[in-house]
């Protein structure tokens, strides 16, 4: 396949076993882990967990990525489409409240093919960094129940420095608008589990409180109350080689999270916040081919 799935549009040739594009991935899905995960937002994790399927490779180049082993180092195992369905069915048998495809942007073609003739009995979640093409998302319309995008930055220089994508702000905001168009307002079942809708995530970075406020301002302006949910995340932990960005080589100060949380409350955003103690190892699952 000649790939233009992500906004980079690199046009790389991806055959079944080899990939030369920005994501470095072949056409076959490469997975690093498939297991129940209990640390998503409450309407996703519920009591039994979210059925997470972690794809390897990435269309982003985040210097602080806590999933570096799979996003940058390419760890994982290629599986055929039939095996991917078996993996998903096993998660449902284990009691997963939903199927949660994590970092799926460069595998949108495989997800579309998987769901073309199979409708899972639980909601399907697309858990993405937010760097998505609208045309690619439209190819998934009717197949995805819940979108879980990041909105990392609204400043192009910051996006270039930390994620190698200066076009991230305009790209991500267009993508999120498309996601909301597809799903409509959030809908929940009687147990408070999310059936459909969009949760927008923002990970607060050290020294980037103004960036967090700008993101929250955008969400507040863009969507009527109750349309989406907002998740303010404090789980940032210094990771990998941060020599080129030394300002990120620390955890959040207590005042940064407190100020962001107060700002969110004052805006009246519906959603979720993490405590500063969320910066712990269990938020980064072991990538060891569990379930693959």
């Amino acid at each position: 396949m000649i790939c233009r799935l992500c906004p980079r549009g690199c046009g790389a040739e991806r055959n079944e076993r080899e990939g030369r594009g920005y994501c470095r991935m072949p056409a076959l899905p490469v997975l690093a882990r498939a297991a129940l995960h209990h640390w998503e937002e409450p309407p996703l994790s519920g009591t039994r967990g979210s059925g997470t399927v972690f794809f390897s490779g990435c269309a982003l180049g985040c210097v602080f990525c806590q999933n570096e082993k799979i996003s940058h180092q390419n760890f994982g195992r290629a599986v055929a489409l039939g095996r991917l369905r078996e993996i998903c069915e096993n998660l449902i048998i284990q009691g997963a409240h939903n199927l949660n495809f994590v970092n799926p942007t460069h595998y949108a073609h495989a997800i579309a093919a998987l769901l073309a003739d199979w409708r899972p009995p639980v909601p399907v979640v697309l858990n993405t960094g937010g760097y998505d093409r609208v045309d690619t998302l439209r190819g998934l319309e009717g197949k995805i129940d819940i979108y879980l995008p990041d909105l990392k930055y609204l400043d192009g220089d910051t996006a270039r420095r930390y994620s190698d994508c200066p076009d991230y702000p305009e790209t991500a905001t267009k993508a999120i608008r498309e996601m909301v168009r597809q799903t409509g307002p959030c809908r929940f079942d009687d147990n408070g589990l999310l059936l459909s809708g969009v949760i927008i995530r923002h990970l607060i970075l050290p020294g980037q409180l103004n960036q967090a406020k700008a993101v929250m301002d955008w969400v507040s302006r863009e969507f009527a109350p109750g349309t989406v949910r907002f998740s303010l995340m404090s789980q940032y932990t210094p990771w990998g080689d941060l020599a080129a960005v030394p300002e990120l080589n620390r955890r959040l100060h207590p005042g940064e999270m407190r100020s962001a949380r107060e700002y969110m409350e004052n805006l009246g955003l519906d959603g979720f916040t993490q405590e500063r103690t969320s910066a712990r190892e269990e938020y980064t699952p072991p990538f060891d081919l569990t379930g693959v």
Side-chain angles (χ1 to χ4, degrees):
M1 61 180 286
I2 302 300
C3 186
R4 292 185 174 82
L5 288 171
C6 88
R8 295 187 188 275
C10 65
E13 183 177 354
R14 298 170 63 189
N15 62 33
E16 284 197 349
R17 298 289 175 180
E18 294 181 346
R20 299 183 178 86
Y22 191 92
C23 69
R24 306 169 303 283
M25 288 291 107
L28 280 179
V30 178
L31 310 183
R33 180 179 176 85
L36 298 180
H37 190 56
H38 297 274
W39 299 105
E40 304 288 36
E41 287 76 5
L44 297 176
S45 292
T47 57
R48 300 193 302 268
S50 178
T52 50
V53 178
F54 286 86
F55 292 98
S56 302
C58 192
L60 286 168
C62 302
V63 296
F64 53 83
C65 183
Q66 294 174 321
N67 294 351
E68 181 184 18
K69 182 176 180 179
I70 63 173
S71 63
H72 296 169
Q73 298 177 18
N74 306 339
F75 174 81
R77 176 181 295 164
V79 301
L81 205 61
R83 175 57 184 155
L84 179 59
R85 176 166 171 172
E86 289 176 358
I87 288 168
C88 293
E89 289 174 335
N90 286 338
L91 290 171
I92 294 168
I93 290 171
Q94 293 173 45
H97 291 298
N98 45 67
L99 288 177
N100 187 346
F101 295 125
V102 184
N103 192 26
T105 296
H106 51 296
Y107 280 118
H109 67 291
I111 293 170
L114 172 71
L115 301 175
D117 57 1
W118 177 55
R119 185 63 188 174
V122 296
V124 177
V125 183
L126 205 74
N127 184 339
T128 163
Y131 195 53
D132 296 282
R133 288 188 64 207
V134 168
D135 286 349
T136 300
L137 294 172
R138 286 178 179 161
L140 293 169
E141 186 166 2
K143 298 178 174 67
I144 305 300
D145 302 290
I146 298 167
Y147 284 101
L148 186 60
D150 292 336
L151 185 51
K152 298 177 184 292
Y153 325 100
L154 286 178
D155 174 73
D157 289 338
T158 306
R160 182 200 308 273
R161 179 169 173 79
Y162 294 156
S163 294
D164 190 30
C165 53
D167 62 331
Y168 181 93
E170 58 267 34
T171 301
T173 51
K174 288 178 182 177
I176 290 171
R177 290 188 189 103
E178 172 62 19
M179 295 171 186
V180 175
R181 184 196 69 78
Q182 288 187 21
T183 68
C186 288
R187 294 191 306 111
F188 300 85
D189 70 9
D190 293 339
N191 296 314
L193 294 172
L194 188 60
L195 296 173
S196 64
V198 177
I199 299 177
I200 301 170
R201 286 175 162 175
H202 178 73
L203 175 67
I204 307 173
L205 297 176
Q208 294 293 321
L209 180 59
N210 286 340
Q211 194 72 234
K213 291 179 178 179
V215 165
M216 288 186 275
D217 284 340
W218 182 85
V219 174
S220 179
R221 289 194 309 268
E222 189 72 22
F223 303 110
T227 303
V228 301
R229 296 298 185 270
F230 185 77
S231 182
L232 186 64
M233 305 173 73
S234 63
Q235 68 189 60
Y236 177 81
T237 303
W239 199 273
D241 183 4
L242 298 175
V245 286
E247 69 274 16
L248 295 185
N249 196 20
R250 67 170 176 84
R251 295 196 177 191
L252 295 177
H253 296 317
E256 289 175 306
M257 186 58 193
R258 183 172 58 251
S259 295
R261 186 166 52 243
E262 290 174 353
Y263 198 83
M264 178 179 168
E265 291 171 355
N266 289 336
L267 283 176
L269 287 178
D270 294 325
F272 320 94
T273 61
Q274 289 179 324
E275 296 301 321
R276 185 167 168 265
T277 53
S278 296
R280 300 188 308 237
E281 282 190 4
E282 61 258 41
Y283 282 82
T284 303
F287 299 118
D288 53 7
L289 301 181
T290 292
V292 177

